[in-house]
Structure formats: structure tokens, C-alpha cells
């Protein structure tokens, strides 16, 4: 891999997501050689992927080159590589571009889409975990609008203008809210031959509320906002299959004819082959880590972020699979790696829950803090501020801020482009 041999201990980090990047930054100017491996050459700010797929932001605003993140560290190397296997006894990581040895290995590979074994959904639905996938979805939505303007068969037109989203977690809620705003603000201007009333946005959720991880108050507010925007919500409903453009549910009377079925109903760990059996919690496909983020059975292999399952009294099922645990664990592990080489005792990780939030649309968001829950316009401004703050890169923050301000004033979406058509071959991009 052309990484020089160094006298410094080598930390190999697999994954340049929230966890990997926060760890790498904290290891700057510390006595380690850092090697970051990622199958993409950029960091993705996943919370804003839905804005790319609904034409609100250009992909460059939410992605950032990993090499640029590492550039201040003379002892850091990036290799664009997909990790295939770990050979723990040899301390070697195998990738599609060769092998590399490690002294300390950190797995920060995040998660991938979970279809819960439903093959028809996996084969026919579309989902959104990466930038290419968000661009595919953007193309599909716009191509369907284009096709609807010329469709002669009323049933086909209906199917093109029906949008169905499974999973009312933050991604499903944010996507359906953004689609509803597209229908309200953009369609009447761009597609005079489509009546916005013809467009239906259905949100399906298996549980009895939207945003299940949030407080009842915020769930109820989010549901109210979505309904105000005209999103049709179907709670206590499970998807059975999606074939021939028909979504069938567990309710015989409820099925949808649609060419856009978006799956946002779950994720599972993106684990790598090669570690001992006890390292992995099979059901979740996440690594079983102790409070120092060490993977069960190993002292020098760690996992952080979505891929790590660390249980505690407060979090018996592990931390939520969101950005904050990944960021905090990355920072904390940097301290513990330093303590390791200084022969000091490791410090246990404690998660500081900074709250949860989700946006539904213009002036509509919900925020859950420890003791305070609020929604509406103020929550929306808080949501925007927090997302701008955490976006990687000054340019990205400025461009995103400018885009949001422009869209707010003009009720517009900047990026309504079918750059790479998706429908013709439906070539899906892997997670
Ligand atoms: C659509 C969407 C919306 C979200 N919205 C929010 C939100 O609003 N708020 C929030 O807090 N969280 C949100 N999340 C969750 C949040 O993005 C994750 O919890 C967070 O990204 C986890 O960070 P991580 O470092 O563990 O993994 P990631 O950020 O997913 O990074 C994993 C990295 O590992 C790389 N990788 C994976 N496997 C390999 C391999 N075998 N070889 C090489 N590289 C590999 C990937 O390319 C990726 O760069 C959202 C997630 C999605 C998908």
C-alpha cells in the first residue's frame, strides 16, 4: 500500500465517517502513524443526504475529501480501499488494493441498509445511505415527474406520482416532508401540467407513532406537521413486498401502486469478516465492545460508532446509531490510545446525550433535550444551526447556508437536475 515503515505505532482506522474522522483529528501531532482506509475518498454528512435526493443541496455541500481532513497530520496516510478481511493473529488487514499491518486497529465502518430478509424490497426498492444513492433517488423522482407529464394511461400517471416511503424514523420523516414541500413550492412553477393534488406521499411505519425514538410530544408534533403538509401516514403497518410497482402491506386493504418506493426502515452493522465469533453480536451485526471500545476478545482492536455495541445500565441496548456516539467515541478513543502507549489505565467511555432533533419542513422541526421538548420555527432554526455547525468544511457551511437562505426567500430548490439518469438501467450503488 506504499505506506512507509515508521518507528511510531501504527493505528489503522477503517472508515472515514463521523467516528473515524473524529479519532483521526484527535491523533494529529500525537506519536502515532495513522492510516485511514475508506472505500470512498470522501466523508459523507449523512444527515443531509435527504436534501441531496430532494434537490435542496448539491452533493459537494455534504461531502468532504478525506485527504483534506488529514492534511494537517504529517504522520497520516489515506488509502482508498475496501477492507475485505482481518487476520487478527498476523495483525493484518486485507483490502482490494493489498494488505497492511497494524499495531492498533479501529473499526469505524458504520452501518448498512437492513432489509430484514425481504428480497423483493432489496431487489426493487430504492434507499439512501450514500451520495451516489441520494443522486439516484433525485434522478428517479425528477424522471418520474418528467414521465408523468406525458403519460397517457391514468393508472401509470398515478403510479409515477405516488411516492411511498417505508420507515418513519428521522430519514423517512425528513424525506417525506421535503417531498411534500417540493410538491407545494416547486411543482406548480416547474410542471404546470401536473396538478399538485395528483401527487401523493405515503409514509408507512410499523410502530404506532412517527419518530419512534423521540418523545411522545415530539412524535405528535412531527405527525401534525407532516399532516399539515399533506403527507398520508399509515401507522402500525408493515411492508410485505414490493414487486411490479406494487407495495403490499400486512393490511390486505392497503397497497400502493408506485414507481418510487423508498426503503428507510432500518440499518444493521457493516461488519468485516475475520474476527473471533464472540466479537460480533449476530442479531445486530455489530461488534460487542467494552467501555474502552475494545472488541470482545481483543486488546488492540477497537470499534467505534454505529458498528460498536456498548451496553450500560443507561443504554442496555447500546447507544443510538446516530452521529454523536460515533464522534464522542472517536475523541475518547484517541485519549485511550495515548494512555495505552503511556502505560496508563484506560478510561471508560460515558456518552453525553446532547438530545435529538428532526426537521419536517420549512419552519417545522422537533427537538428533544434532556428536560425540554419543543417544536416549530425555533426548533427549525436550532436544527439548521446544529447541522451547519457539524458540517465538515468551511466552504460546505457557507454554500449550504447560502442555499438554505436562497430557498427560504424564493421557495425554490437549487439542484433539480437529472445529471445521471437512473430509471433506464436502475443500476444501484452499494452501501
Ligand atoms: C439518511 C441518513 C440520515 C441520518 N440522519 C441523522 C441525523 O439527522 N442525526 C444523526 O445524529 N445521525 C443521523 N444518521 C446516522 C449517522 O449518520 C450515523 O450514526 C453516523 O454516520 C455513524 O458514524 P460512523 O462513523 O459509525 O459511520 P459512518 O459515518 O457511516 O462512516 C462509515 C465509513 O466507513 C466506510 N466503510 C464501510 N465499510 C467499509 C469497508 N469494508 N472498507 C472501507 N471503508 C468502509 C464508509 O464508506 C464510511 O465512510 C443518519 C444516517 C443516514 C443514513
Amino acid at each position: 500500500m506504499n505506506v512507509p515503515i515508521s518507528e511510531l505505532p501504527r493505528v489503522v482506522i477503517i472508515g472515514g465517517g463521523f467516528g473515524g474522522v473524529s479519532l483521526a483529528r484527535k491523533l494529529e501531532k500525537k506519536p502515532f502513524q495513522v492510516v485511514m482506509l475508506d472505500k470512498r475518498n470522501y466523508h459523507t454528512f449523512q444527515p443531509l443526504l435527504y436534501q441531496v435526493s430532494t434537490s435542496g443541496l448539491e452533493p459537494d455541500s455534504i461531502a468532504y475529501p478525506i485527504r483534506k481532513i488529514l492534511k494537517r497530520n504529517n504522520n497520516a496516510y489515506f488509502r482508498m480501499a475496501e477492507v475485505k478481511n482481518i487476520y487478527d493473529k498476523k495483525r493484518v488487514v486485507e483490502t482490494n488494493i493489498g494488505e497492511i499491518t497494524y499495531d492498533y486497529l479501529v473499526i469505524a465502518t458504520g452501518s448498512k441498509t437492513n432489509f430484514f430478509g425481504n428480497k423483493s424490497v432489496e431487489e426493487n426498492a430504492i434507499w439512501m445511505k450514500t451520495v451516489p444513492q441520494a443522486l439516484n433517488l433525485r434522478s428517479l423522482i425528477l424522471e418520474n415527474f418528467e414521465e408523468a407529464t406525458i403519460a397517457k394511461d391514468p393508472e401509470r400517471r398515478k403510479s409515477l406520482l405516488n411516492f411511498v416511503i417505508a420507515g418513519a424514523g428521522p430519514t423517512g420523516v425528513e424525506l417525506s416532508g421535503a417531498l411534500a414541500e417540493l410538491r407545494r413550492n416547486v411543482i406548480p412553477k416547474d410542471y404546470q401540467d401536473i396538478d399538485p393534488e395528483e401527487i401523493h406521499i405515503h409514509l408507512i411505519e410499523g410502530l404506532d407513532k412517527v419518530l419512534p425514538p423521540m418523545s411522545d410530544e415530539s412524535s405528535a408534533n412531527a405527525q401534525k406537521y407532516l399532516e399539515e403538509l399533506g403527507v398520508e401516514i399509515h401507522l402500525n403497518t408493515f411492508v410485505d413486498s414490493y414487486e411490479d410497482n406494487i407495495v403490499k402491506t400486512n393490511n390486505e386493504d392497503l397497497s400502493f401502486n408506485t414507481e418510487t418506493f423508498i426503503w428507510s426502515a432500518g440499518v444493521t452493522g457493516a461488519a468485516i469478516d475475520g474476527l473471533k465469533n464472540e466479537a460480533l453480536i449476530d442479531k445486530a451485526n455489530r461488534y460487542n465492545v467494552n467501555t474502552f471500545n475494545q472488541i470482545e476478545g481483543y486488546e488492540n482492536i477497537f470499534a467505534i460508532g454505529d458498528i460498536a455495541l456498548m451496553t450500560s445500565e443507561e443504554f442496555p441496548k447500546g447507544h443510538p446509531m446516530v452521529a454523536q456516539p460515533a464522534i464522542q467515541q472517536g475523541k475518547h478513543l484517541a485519549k485511550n490510545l495515548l494512555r495505552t502507549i503511556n502505560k496508563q489505565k484506560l478510561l471508560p467511555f460515558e456518552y453525553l446525550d446532547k438530545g435529538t432533533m428532526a426537521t419536517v419542513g420549512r419552519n417545522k422541526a422537533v427537538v428533544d433535550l434532556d428536560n425540554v421538548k419543543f417544536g416549530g420555527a425555533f426548533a427549525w432554526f436550532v436544527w439548521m444551526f446544529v447541522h451547519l455547525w457539524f458540517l465538515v468544511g468551511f466552504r460546505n457551511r457557507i454554500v449550504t447556508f447560502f442555499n438554505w437562505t436562497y430557498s427560504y426567500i424564493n421557495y425554490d430548490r437549487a439542484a433539480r437536475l437529472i445529471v445521471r439518469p437512473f430509471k433506464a438501467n436502475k443500476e444501484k450503488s452499494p452501501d
Side-chain angles (χ1 to χ4, degrees):
M1 279 206 197
N2 196 21
V3 175
I5 301 291
S6 150
E7 282 175 3
L8 300 173
R10 179 183 286 167
V11 181
V12 172
I13 305 171
I14 312 174
F18 285 101
V21 162
S22 78
L23 168 64
R25 280 180 162 161
K26 286 285 165 191
L27 291 181
E28 263 168 33
K29 302 192 174 69
K30 300 289 185 300
F32 292 103
Q33 183 191 59
V34 175
V35 180
M36 179 170 279
L37 308 173
D38 198 300
K39 53 188 170 187
R40 297 181 190 92
N41 77 337
Y42 54 86
H43 165 83
T44 306
F45 191 81
Q46 292 172 356
L48 291 180
L49 276 173
Y50 82 96
Q51 295 225 348
V52 172
S53 59
T54 52
S55 306
L57 287 174
E58 287 290 353
D60 329 31
S61 311
I62 67 153
Y64 200 80
I66 294 177
R67 284 181 183 275
K68 214 165 159 181
I69 295 172
L70 300 180
K71 74 173 185 224
R72 276 184 298 194
N73 187 350
N74 292 335
N75 292 321
Y77 298 83
F78 171 71
R79 292 292 176 263
M80 193 167 101
E82 178 160 7
V83 176
K84 303 284 188 192
N85 220 318
I86 300 163
Y87 299 103
D88 52 357
K89 295 208 172 76
K90 291 195 287 176
R91 296 191 170 199
V92 162
V93 167
E94 184 196 26
T95 78
N96 62 331
I97 60 162
E99 293 187 344
I100 187 153
T101 55
Y102 59 82
D103 296 298
Y104 301 99
L105 176 64
V106 182
I107 306 178
T109 44
S111 61
K112 56 185 183 181
T113 309
N114 192 354
F115 301 97
F116 303 98
N118 192 325
K119 284 282 166 219
S120 68
V121 170
E122 185 168 357
E123 277 162 21
N124 303 314
I126 187 162
W127 55 95
M128 192 192 62
K129 192 86 198 27
T130 64
V131 169
Q133 290 169 356
L135 286 172
N136 286 346
L137 181 52
R138 180 176 89 180
S139 292
L140 180 65
I141 293 167
L142 297 173
E143 284 177 278
N144 282 345
F145 284 139
E146 291 299 333
E147 236 184 298
T149 59
I150 51 163
K152 291 200 179 97
D153 174 7
E155 277 307 304
R156 174 127 173 77
R157 185 171 164 107
K158 211 170 142 191
S159 157
L160 289 161
L161 295 177
N162 241 352
F163 295 89
V164 182
I165 299 154
T171 304
V173 164
E174 292 178 346
L175 252 178
S176 42
L179 276 170
E181 295 224 309
L182 204 67
R183 170 177 62 185
R184 179 181 279 187
N185 302 324
V186 175
I187 297 299
K189 286 188 256 171
D190 271 21
Y191 296 89
Q192 282 100 350
D193 28 22
I194 297 177
D195 177 358
E197 297 285 314
E198 286 182 277
I199 302 171
H200 290 271
I201 300 152
H202 296 276
L203 180 60
I204 302 175
E205 168 57 46
L207 298 177
D208 60 359
K209 61 179 198 170
V210 304
L211 295 177
M214 293 191 77
S215 64
D216 287 346
E217 194 181 326
S218 291
S219 291
N221 273 335
Q223 180 161 348
K224 186 180 82 179
Y225 299 149
L226 286 168
E227 284 166 352
E228 282 168 7
L229 283 168
V231 175
E232 294 158 62
I233 301 172
H234 310 274
L235 299 175
N236 300 306
T237 304
F238 290 91
V239 170
D240 272 351
S241 63
Y242 177 52
E243 265 162 338
D244 303 324
N245 292 338
I246 310 267
V247 178
K248 288 192 179 152
T249 71
N250 60 333
N251 177 348
E252 268 182 22
D253 301 325
L254 192 67
S255 64
F256 306 91
N257 193 349
T258 179
E259 300 216 3
T260 322
F261 177 50
I262 307 165
W263 183 254
S264 68
V267 289
T268 182
I272 293 173
D273 289 342
L275 298 188
K276 296 173 189 164
N277 286 343
E278 66 262 36
L280 202 67
I281 296 174
D282 283 338
K283 217 173 135 209
N285 213 31
R286 295 167 76 191
Y287 292 114
N288 184 4
V289 299
N290 63 17
T291 53
F292 313 122
N293 285 97
Q294 284 165 319
I295 295 181
E296 176 76 32
Y298 297 96
E299 275 189 7
N300 63 336
I301 307 184
F302 303 82
I304 55 175
D306 277 3
I307 190 66
L309 205 156
M310 182 193 292
T311 55
S312 63
E313 224 169 80
E314 203 185 339
F315 297 96
K317 291 182 182 163
H319 302 114
M321 290 166 86
V322 291
Q324 272 304 319
I327 294 170
Q328 293 178 28
Q329 286 177 358
K331 289 181 181 166
H332 187 80
L333 180 56
K335 279 188 214 153
N336 271 341
L337 286 173
L338 269 176
R339 293 181 76 87
T340 306
I341 56 168
N342 292 330
K343 309 258 181 293
Q344 290 168 310
K345 245 178 100 189
L346 300 187
L347 300 173
F349 172 76
E350 273 175 42
Y351 176 49
L352 174 63
D353 188 353
K354 295 184 177 170
T356 356
M357 58 182 73
T359 180
V360 179
R362 191 186 177 82
N363 293 332
K364 291 179 170 72
V366 287
V367 175
D368 275 0
L369 300 179
D370 210 7
N371 296 317
V372 198
K373 329 270 171 230
F374 55 99
F378 180 59
W380 189 62
F381 280 105
V382 172
W383 178 92
M384 281 201 295
F385 175 77
V386 169
H387 283 72
L388 279 176
W389 182 264
F390 280 101
L391 255 182
V392 178
F394 181 68
R395 179 198 163 276
N396 285 0
R397 287 190 205 125
I398 295 290
V399 173
T400 303
F401 177 70
F402 173 78
N403 251 307
W404 285 350
T405 311
Y406 176 85
S407 303
Y408 191 76
I409 296 168
N410 295 296
Y411 288 82
D412 202 4
R413 294 288 170 92
R416 302 194 295 273
L417 311 174
I418 305 169
V419 177
R420 202 185 44 172
F422 172 72
K423 270 195 100 165
N425 53 16
K426 293 222 165 109
E427 204 175 290
K428 287 187 186 154
S429 161
D431 276 7

